[in-house]
Amino acid sequence: MAEQMTGAQMVIQALVDQAVEHVFGYPGGAVLPIYDELFQQDKLRHILVRHEQGAVHAAEGYARSTGKVGCVLVTSGPGATNAVTGLTDALMDSTPLVCITGQVPTHLIGNDAFQECDTVGITRPCTKHNYLVKNVDDLARVLHEAFYVAANGRPGPVVVDIPKDVQFAKGFYSGPRNVQHKTYRPKLKGDLEKIKAAVALMAGAKRPVIYSGGGVVNSGSEASHLLRELVKLTGFPITSTLMGLGAFPAANPQWLGMLGMHGTYEANMAMHDCDVMVCIGARFDDRITGRVDAFSPGSKRVHVDIDASSINKNVKVDIGIVGDCGHVLEDMIRLWRASSVETDKPALAAWWQQIDKWRGRKSLAYRNSSEVIKPQYAIERLYALTRDRDVYITTEVGQHQMWAAQFFKFEEPHRWMTSGGLGTMGYGLPAAVGVQLAHPNALVIDIAGEASVLMTMQEMSTAVQYRLPIKIFIINNQYMGMVRQWQELLHGGRYSESYSEALPDFVKLAEAYHCVGIRCAKPDELDAAIRKMLAVDRPVIFDCVVDPTENCFPMIPAGRAHNEMLLGDAAQDLEAAITEEGKVMV
Amino acid sequence: MLMKNPATERHTLSVLVDNEPGVLARVIGLFSGRGYNIDSLTVSETEHEKQLSRITIVTTGTPMVIEQIKNQLERLVPVHRVIDVTVGGKSIERELAMVKVRGTGERRVEALRLSDAFRARVIDATTESFVFELTGKSDKIDQFVGLMLPLGLVEVSRTGIVAITRGPEAM
Ligand SMILES: Cc1ncc(C[n+]2csc(CCOP(=O)(O)OP(=O)(O)O)c2C)c(N)n1
Ligand SMILES: [Mg+2]
């Protein structure tokens, strides 16, 4: 029997019924009734952030490291607008979130009331779906629907905007079991005929490559297992996008490393020269394809994606399979086994030989130094010294992010949280807060840039308040390094506004936040300093002072094709490598 | 995306949606946000009990863009179905126009004579003006409006295109 309660009580009840344990939020006038209910219960834990953007990124970190829906609670007006960057980030990276926003009372909507903004209007293009609930009797249904929509199909953020009078109003609550969306039923199973055709195409391949992405991670751990099985079964090489790292173990010999703008030479060359490409849960984004009209010119392509609109969006494919990666992989493997495929062994052997030649270029090689810490070395050491730990990595955005992707090796999914699609500086620190809450005993490290980390630095306060021992490992090159690199390559070395002027003393800043600060600037002191950081059971800001001039290679310059990569030692004639057209690309 | 300008095509899409607040904004926002064209747009509730509305959109784009538009529309949570009524060439498309013409003497007589030839109805008249109502394909309406221009055309109001497929099946 349904019971009567206030809208604010329904919010709490719905979150509890949806098995939410942590809500990341920030109070304000338009959500006070909900905060009052939060105060009077102990099933839900509210995590008070220091800025609403931080709440959303923390919820993203929570969601991406657990596979659950992350939950956010913010007030109307500035609370909602501050959340917009995080929501857009979650949309671009297909992260399931439910964000509850307070709204001015219904009778004031449209009156330019205090702290009113058109939240559903503003968030319509940056959410998967959103709702304004004007009637308390719709509230329970909408909240449960929001969780369903966020988690099913291609995951994404959902906003539920609740006017204050609806939070006070009484109505009937119904649990999640009685709620199903009227029509939204994403297709999980792929078309079997198409999967058969894909298997036949793969069986005849001479130069195949599997290219996987964040969709495999989103699909759940089972999909990652199945991906491994398919790779083993076929003997094909595999690469992945930034978002897909960890779905396939980096230690496996069939792993080519990440592909794309800063991917490995072997991964990009394999993509360029392959005859059959199998894309699973990735979306041919421009960071992956490089110049589209020169993208993998000789290949037949299979694309598996739960979102039909990803198929044939940027790149034409021969077989488009709409379905959940896990389900499609399962069918693929079953059909591959059932048809007892004979692959073209000599051709595959020749292909692997070619790949080994590309690997021989050692595209990630860098010149180390005994004077100054090279950023790549710093991440290599961080990786080496944390190998025996249960480790989760988040990042900010820039060169350090790419070096982290290149030099930190992941063996499992859900261990790597980075802002891929939107490229949001300031993501990593609050994301680490969310990850640490979900995994209290794990080692959570934000590999950061000194510029990015200042965008959401205030969340250190959150980490300290909740005793979350996150480690902020700042690759401090005193530049917005990625901007500086582009200015060096594309704008004649005119470093317009990319120098990190007047930086705070990060060690003192750590102390000001009541956490631990460590600085290291010498390669031979690095190991000891990292060990010291790992030994501290409190939040740490680690200021790793690195070579300010190092560039991130390999690199496919904007407007170039995969086989036109710049390698580190080709750095002399960079100017010549970039076309005029390429300059307008971002 | 970089493509060697394949020819663009004109397609009429019927979109069946939940008649809920914001659904039209969602559809229009999709078109403006992704840079798609809207040549014509009509919307009205069609099944009151089920709270369903039907949006008819005429758009132009390369075949790849048209496919994208359909997929992107289908991805919206309140969208039930998207039918490309142009595919298969089995669609009927109509538009309604109201055309106000002002004039006296010969020009007035000529306007009335032409309206008759186009099977337009006179729905308002004064001694110096007519309002004609005309339904038909868009090009027929274009043609009629063109003919009225030298005869004292004052104003045109058009509904935009509505469409349905031929034969017994529903969308
Ligand atoms: C919010 C935001 N603003 C601007 C940018 C553009 N941008 C990309 S990388 C970068 C520099 C980042 O500097 P830092 O955090 O020091 O990282 P580094 O590249 O030096 O490793 C900037 C400004 C961005 N990605 N996000
Ligand atoms: Mg920097």
Side-chain angles (χ1 to χ4, degrees):
Chain A
M1 179 60 214
E3 33 177 333
Q4 228 187 359
M5 53 174 92
T6 67
Q9 288 169 332
M10 286 188 197
V11 170
I12 307 294
Q13 191 59 49
L15 299 193
V16 170
D17 286 349
Q18 289 289 343
V20 173
E21 289 167 358
H22 296 96
V23 192
F24 301 89
Y26 206 94
V31 280
L32 283 181
I34 300 173
Y35 273 85
D36 198 37
E37 290 303 329
L38 269 173
F39 189 83
Q40 302 177 50
Q41 55 84 49
D42 54 10
K43 293 192 182 111
L44 270 181
R45 186 157 180 230
H46 179 270
I47 307 300
L48 178 68
V49 295
R50 300 301 186 264
H51 184 296
E52 289 85 351
Q53 182 187 349
V56 186
H57 292 326
E60 286 185 272
Y62 189 91
R64 298 256 313 268
S65 66
T66 58
K68 293 195 234 167
V69 178
C71 195
V72 178
L73 173 61
V74 298
T75 193
S76 65
T81 55
N82 270 351
V84 165
T85 299
L87 293 170
T88 312
D89 192 90
L91 183 71
M92 292 288 273
D93 286 344
S94 309
T95 307
L97 297 183
V98 169
C99 174
I100 294 165
T101 55
Q103 182 54 280
V104 301
T106 40
H107 70 274
L108 284 180
I109 290 179
N111 279 11
D112 300 322
F114 178 62
Q115 296 198 324
E116 178 184 358
C117 73
D118 176 8
T119 301
V120 285
I122 290 170
T123 61
R124 198 173 285 128
C126 64
T127 52
K128 180 174 174 186
H129 196 50
N130 64 13
Y131 303 84
L132 169 62
V133 185
K134 286 189 171 171
N135 185 338
V136 71
D137 291 321
D138 295 332
L139 184 57
R141 174 186 58 81
V142 166
L143 284 166
H144 296 307
E145 224 178 84
F147 277 88
Y148 174 81
V149 170
N152 288 275
R154 180 173 177 176
V158 178
V159 161
V160 183
D161 197 27
I162 313 176
K164 196 168 179 181
D165 55 328
V166 176
Q167 298 170 32
F168 279 122
K170 282 197 159 181
F172 288 100
Y173 177 80
S174 51
R177 245 171 302 135
N178 308 327
V179 175
Q180 229 193 0
H181 192 273
K182 262 190 283 183
T183 52
Y184 187 66
R185 302 268 184 290
K187 198 167 154 247
L188 294 177
K189 282 286 209 187
D191 180 336
L192 265 187
E193 287 310 310
K194 288 191 173 168
I195 300 176
K196 263 185 207 151
V199 166
L201 184 66
M202 287 157 68
K206 295 184 189 310
R207 299 183 310 279
V209 66
I210 296 175
Y211 141 49
S212 74
V216 178
V217 181
N218 273 339
S219 172
S221 319
E222 186 54 21
S224 295
H225 288 304
L226 291 164
L227 180 68
R228 290 156 196 226
E229 204 173 321
L230 182 74
V231 173
K232 190 169 171 196
L233 205 59
T234 56
F236 292 177
I238 174 169
T239 175
S240 117
T241 65
L242 181 74
M243 300 307 292
L245 295 178
F248 192 82
N252 188 296
Q254 279 166 270
W255 173 244
L256 302 184
M258 179 176 80
L259 82 160
M261 187 173 267
H262 292 289
T264 65
Y265 186 67
E266 51 271 33
N268 285 326
M269 289 303 288
M271 288 288 282
H272 187 269
D273 283 5
C274 67
D275 70 341
V276 172
M277 177 186 298
V278 185
C279 168
I280 306 174
R283 59 186 175 90
F284 294 96
D285 137 291
D286 55 87
R287 283 293 178 276
I288 293 305
T289 58
R291 207 174 96 202
V292 187
D293 58 356
F295 175 73
S296 192
S299 63
K300 293 255 182 216
R301 300 161 197 153
V302 179
H303 186 183
V304 181
D305 204 300
I306 196 152
D307 178 358
S309 75
S310 285
I311 293 173
N312 288 327
K313 180 170 68 180
N314 301 331
V315 164
K316 264 258 171 246
V317 297
D318 301 276
I319 304 174
I321 302 168
V322 180
D324 171 67
C325 293
H327 285 81
V328 175
L329 279 165
E330 195 180 344
D331 284 335
M332 241 180 210
I333 291 167
R334 195 171 43 75
L335 289 172
W336 183 281
R337 288 223 168 93
S339 57
S340 42
V341 178
E342 282 294 330
T343 51
D344 187 341
K345 296 256 156 48
L348 288 182
W351 179 230
W352 274 111
Q353 252 173 20
Q354 175 62 62
I355 289 172
D356 283 338
K357 268 192 209 139
W358 289 325
R359 276 178 169 159
R361 298 287 300 262
K362 300 214 180 305
S363 62
L364 296 181
Y366 63 95
R367 279 195 193 89
N368 211 354
S369 156
S370 55
E371 306 296 310
V372 40
I373 301 177
K374 290 284 178 177
Q376 300 94 324
Y377 178 71
I379 293 169
E380 275 188 326
R381 293 315 302 156
L382 186 67
Y383 171 61
L385 296 172
T386 55
R387 289 203 64 169
D388 55 339
R389 302 284 291 263
D390 180 20
V391 78
Y392 290 79
I393 299 293
T394 71
T395 77
E396 308 292 336
V397 171
Q399 290 179 318
H400 64 275
Q401 176 190 30
M402 292 300 117
W403 283 316
Q406 291 172 341
F407 291 92
F408 214 98
K409 311 286 177 199
F410 295 92
E411 308 300 316
E412 295 297 329
H414 300 294
R415 298 279 167 161
W416 164 246
M417 270 60 55
T418 193
S419 171
L422 195 62
T424 312
M425 292 168 69
Y427 169 87
L429 198 162
V433 166
V435 175
Q436 188 80 75
L437 268 159
H439 309 277
N441 300 318
L443 172 63
V444 182
I445 306 174
D446 171 26
I447 297 181
E450 83 294 335
S452 295
V453 78
L454 286 177
M455 289 208 172
T456 49
M457 178 51 87
Q458 68 280 357
E459 301 307 334
M460 260 343 255
S461 206
T462 312
V464 171
Q465 178 178 346
Y466 296 96
R467 302 191 202 303
L468 304 170
I470 57 173
K471 310 290 182 265
I472 311 304
F473 191 81
I474 303 174
I475 302 289
N476 185 351
N477 53 7
Q478 296 164 65
Y479 274 103
M480 297 171 195
M482 193 55 98
V483 174
R484 194 199 51 69
Q485 176 167 347
W486 280 57
Q487 288 171 334
E488 182 182 328
L489 303 187
L490 295 143
H491 297 281
R494 290 178 293 282
Y495 298 135
S496 177
E497 305 295 324
S498 55
Y499 181 63
S500 290
E501 190 81 53
L503 282 175
D505 178 330
F506 284 109
V507 173
K508 285 196 180 132
L509 190 60
E511 283 157 12
Y513 277 114
H514 314 291
C515 54
V516 178
I518 299 174
R519 175 171 300 119
C520 182
K522 297 223 173 77
D524 55 355
E525 291 169 7
L526 184 59
D527 277 20
I530 291 175
R531 283 206 181 88
K532 188 171 152 200
M533 169 181 89
L534 298 176
V536 179
D537 190 28
R538 289 166 56 200
V540 177
I541 298 178
F542 190 113
D543 185 13
C544 187
V545 181
V546 301
D547 184 349
T549 61
E550 190 71 18
N551 282 337
C552 183
F553 289 114
M555 177 179 184
I556 304 177
R560 290 290 192 163
H562 278 161
N563 59 347
E564 300 176 289
M565 286 202 96
L566 301 179
L567 297 180
D569 51 0
Q572 304 83 276
D573 37 31
L574 293 183
E575 277 283 21
I578 289 158
T579 60
E580 277 303 312
E581 285 158 71
K583 286 193 189 178
V584 303
M585 312 281 290
V586 288
Chain B
M1 66 159 294
L2 297 170
M3 292 264 295
K4 288 183 200 75
N5 300 329
T8 58
E9 297 173 356
R10 190 177 157 100
H11 283 240
T12 305
L13 310 178
S14 266
V15 188
L16 207 60
V17 299
D18 283 326
N19 186 12
E20 62 181 35
V23 65
L24 187 61
R26 243 177 255 289
V27 170
I28 293 171
L30 173 73
F31 276 74
S32 64
R34 293 186 183 264
Y36 305 143
N37 301 310
I38 298 182
D39 297 342
S40 162
L41 175 88
T42 65
V43 54
S44 183
E45 189 172 69
T46 49
E47 289 175 61
H48 183 70
E49 333 68 76
K50 289 195 206 151
Q51 300 214 326
L52 287 179
S53 286
R54 188 166 173 137
I55 302 177
T56 308
I57 305 170
V58 182
T59 184
T60 41
T62 60
M64 207 158 155
V65 168
I66 301 281
E67 189 190 330
Q68 257 302 295
I69 293 175
K70 289 188 263 181
N71 286 333
Q72 291 287 355
L73 282 169
E74 270 181 352
R75 201 158 85 110
L76 297 177
V77 172
V79 167
H80 292 224
R81 291 196 69 188
V82 180
I83 297 295
D84 186 342
V85 295
T86 305
V87 169
K90 282 178 56 178
S91 74
I92 311 170
E93 300 185 5
R94 290 293 180 271
E95 198 179 353
L96 184 147
M98 295 187 209
V99 182
K100 187 179 284 186
V101 182
R102 181 177 196 159
T104 51
E106 256 318 297
R107 296 207 305 174
R108 182 173 160 85
V109 174
E110 180 63 2
L112 197 61
R113 204 183 59 74
L114 282 168
S115 76
D116 202 40
F118 275 77
R119 299 210 179 108
R121 291 200 304 144
V122 177
I123 54 174
D124 181 67
T126 69
T127 52
E128 50 166 348
S129 71
F130 287 119
V131 175
F132 298 115
E133 175 199 306
L134 175 68
T135 53
K137 290 191 183 158
S138 300
D139 52 0
K140 172 178 162 187
I141 293 171
D142 291 343
Q143 199 189 356
F144 183 72
V145 170
L147 287 170
M148 289 300 120
L149 205 59
L151 300 177
L153 180 75
V154 180
E155 209 179 340
V156 185
S157 179
R158 298 168 69 150
T159 55
I161 291 167
V162 292
I164 205 158
T165 51
R166 291 181 191 274
E169 309 310 333
M171 80 177 263

